[in-house]
Amino acid sequence: MFEVGKLRKTILDMAYAGSTVHIACAFSIVEILAVLYRSHLNLGNGHPEDPLRDYLVLSKGHGVMAQYACMLELGWLTDDDIQNYFSDGTSLKGLSDAHVAGLEVSSGSLGHGLSVSVGLALGAKRNRTKQKCFAIVGDGELNEGTIWEALMFAVHFKLDNLIVIVDVNGYQAMGSTQEVMDMGNITDKFEAFGFDTLEINGHDEHLLDKTIHELVNSHSDKPKAIIANTIKGKGISFMESDNRWHYTRLTSETYHQAIAELSEKEVISLP
């Protein structure tokens, strides 16, 4: 379950069926989501509307196809949902939408999801539940000032149940993060704000698993952060670190080329 090659194929199927973009943005967080859903999220009774399950806020809501692929594995979505993604009259949109059971917030207007996350984490602490709140933000999203206000809030209220994961793929819609607005050393910034912070390879599932376990089970009263270095478009040679795939749609040729690459690397079947 949550095998990364299969998740990437589901993303390709969705993007091809819906003729939509944001493929590369979804591919950079596949391993992060797979490890979270497989090993670390308490899903309560297994129902997406269980009020006591852990929270997972995808603040970079344009990567939502990766979360949809995981929700298909859980049975929270169906094959019909995937094949009709982004069609008229269906509920699955191109950005995270809280009307879909299992998604916490509507996001995609960047910089907002983390603020909601700290509210969820604070609420869980005040209600004395054991719920954790994981928030995934993009490195380009760090340009938004609300991110830093939320980080200060989290530290002040000692939200040790908040784990922020930064997807550092080096790009945002209009170029490299370094060119658009260089944030300098992101790990240093999170540490300076008062977070327990670790920087890792965001595609190494074993390392992700170990790091999340270490932070979640630490006795520190600080909020936690993982700076996950990733590759935009990870898994498909002609998409990796090519920022055109932020908005490029699949053609029949590129869809089948991508599927063929996955079939060589992973155990998936050609269509």
Side-chain angles (χ1 to χ4, degrees):
M1 203 171 186
F2 304 111
E3 193 279 318
V4 297
K6 185 179 179 185
L7 296 175
R8 286 195 166 89
K9 180 180 183 299
T10 301
I11 294 168
L12 288 172
D13 288 344
M14 267 187 289
Y16 189 53
S19 187
T20 60
V21 298
H22 295 149
I23 303 166
C25 322
F27 275 11
S28 66
I29 57 172
V30 167
E31 284 83 0
I32 295 169
L33 288 174
V35 170
L36 285 174
Y37 275 108
R38 182 191 300 139
S39 305
H40 296 283
L41 284 168
N42 179 358
L43 299 177
N45 62 16
H47 193 280
E49 294 182 342
D50 183 341
L52 292 180
R53 65 177 174 78
D54 285 344
Y55 300 111
L56 172 57
V57 174
L58 184 62
S59 192
K60 49 163 281 180
H62 50 294
V64 72
M65 284 191 291
Q67 194 165 5
Y68 288 154
C70 292
M71 292 165 68
L72 176 67
E73 296 287 305
L74 290 169
W76 292 359
L77 296 177
T78 66
D79 290 334
D80 188 61
D81 291 324
I82 299 301
Q83 286 302 316
N84 288 292
Y85 166 67
F86 212 63
S87 300
D88 287 345
T90 59
S91 58
L92 301 190
K93 301 179 177 63
L95 299 173
S96 183
D97 185 337
H99 292 95
V100 177
L103 299 183
E104 320 295 358
V105 301
S106 297
S107 58
S109 291
L110 299 176
H112 298 168
L114 185 57
S115 298
V116 177
S117 302
V118 299
L120 292 170
L122 179 64
K125 287 183 73 71
R126 290 189 169 175
N127 289 329
R128 300 183 184 280
T129 74
K130 295 183 178 179
Q131 291 168 286
K132 301 181 291 294
C133 184
F134 294 89
I136 300 177
V137 304
D139 52 351
E141 188 178 6
L142 299 184
N143 291 168
E144 302 285 350
T146 51
I147 291 286
W148 304 96
E149 295 173 24
L151 296 181
M152 287 189 289
F153 184 98
V155 171
H156 178 78
F157 286 97
K158 298 181 179 179
L159 300 182
D160 55 355
N161 58 343
L162 174 70
I163 304 97
V164 180
I165 302 177
V166 185
D167 172 27
V168 185
N169 64 36
Y171 290 93
Q172 50 190 292
M174 295 302 158
S176 76
T177 52
Q178 192 171 30
E179 291 171 341
V180 176
M181 185 178 290
D182 188 2
M183 299 302 296
N185 189 308
I186 295 171
T187 300
D188 286 351
K189 283 185 166 58
F190 271 77
E191 287 178 342
F193 267 67
F195 275 63
D196 284 337
T197 309
L198 293 172
E199 181 174 351
I200 62 171
N201 177 347
H203 295 300
D204 185 327
E205 292 177 83
H206 174 72
L207 192 54
L208 279 164
D209 186 47
K210 177 175 177 289
T211 303
I212 294 169
H213 179 82
E214 179 180 337
L215 289 176
V216 167
N217 292 286
S218 80
H219 297 296
S220 165
D221 63 0
K222 297 179 180 179
K224 331 295 184 195
I226 296 174
I227 312 304
N229 294 307
T230 65
I231 296 172
K232 195 167 183 174
K234 172 69 175 177
I236 304 298
S237 62
F238 59 87
M239 293 184 185
E240 289 189 356
S241 301
D242 183 343
N243 207 38
R244 289 176 296 183
W245 285 96
H246 190 99
Y247 287 128
T248 300
R249 288 176 167 80
L250 288 163
T251 63
S252 175
E253 180 183 1
T254 53
Y255 168 72
H256 287 95
Q257 186 179 344
I259 292 291
E261 281 199 20
L262 287 181
S263 71
E264 292 174 0
K265 299 173 185 174
E266 311 286 351
V267 184
I268 64 169
S269 300
L270 286 168

